[in-house]
Amino acid sequence: MNRYVRFLRRALAVTLVLGAAVANASDFSFIVSPNQLICAAGGSACVRGSLSYSANQRIVELRSRVTQASGPGMFRIWLYGENYQGYPRRAVLEVPIRGVRSEIVNLRIIPDAPDVEVWVIQSVEFERESNRR
């Protein structure tokens, strides 16, 4: 009987751990699926990669590489979302780019809107460094 109780305890522990892992994974969603192009208006800069959001951790993550850029500057991805009451929320990812092809561009932010579950890209822009000064 004692072996049976230990077996049940272990089985329950494994089930709880797996259940927690599945619960954490279920809040993860892609805004842009992997290996997709994200380009600024006019094609002045593009990155290829993924943009994801974890609702439980409230983290928006960009994992990408520069495919083209007209020089160094600031690559901005504007995100739009609505809370459960329908109020609009916005967030921006500002990524400095050196303008080198195949440059790795990774960024994680926590948006100021914890009540948004789904984000979409509203616009993408690139501002060259010479224009920013």
Side-chain angles (χ1 to χ4, degrees):
M1 181 84 169
N2 197 11
R3 292 171 82 187
Y4 181 69
V5 171
R6 274 189 279 162
F7 171 77
L8 285 178
R9 283 184 183 166
R10 287 183 184 159
L12 180 61
V14 168
T15 304
L16 289 175
V17 168
L18 290 176
V22 169
N24 270 346
S26 66
D27 76 309
F28 179 84
S29 63
F30 281 108
I31 300 169
V32 175
S33 55
N35 204 25
Q36 298 296 313
L37 272 178
I38 304 171
C39 292
S44 56
C46 292
V47 297
R48 179 178 295 278
S50 67
L51 185 61
S52 60
Y53 178 62
S54 173
N56 282 348
Q57 297 176 340
R58 291 188 26 213
I59 294 176
V60 175
E61 183 174 19
L62 173 68
R63 298 179 55 90
S64 62
R65 284 185 178 268
V66 174
T67 57
Q68 71 183 44
S70 58
M74 187 66 70
F75 190 74
R76 289 187 184 91
I77 302 173
W78 292 90
L79 301 175
Y80 174 83
E82 293 181 355
N83 67 3
Y84 65 95
Q85 295 174 328
Y87 293 111
R89 304 283 190 249
R90 287 176 179 77
V92 63
L93 281 88
E94 293 187 322
V95 183
I97 290 180
R98 293 183 317 218
V100 179
R101 187 183 164 106
S102 81
E103 171 186 356
I104 295 173
V105 179
N106 293 335
L107 180 70
R108 294 173 77 168
I109 67 162
I110 298 175
D112 291 335
D115 53 353
V116 174
E117 299 260 338
V118 177
W119 291 100
V120 296
I121 293 180
Q122 184 176 24
S123 65
V124 180
E125 60 187 43
F126 180 69
E127 185 178 353
R128 283 186 54 125
E129 196 168 274
S130 59
N131 295 342
R132 293 183 351 186
R133 292 183 182 177

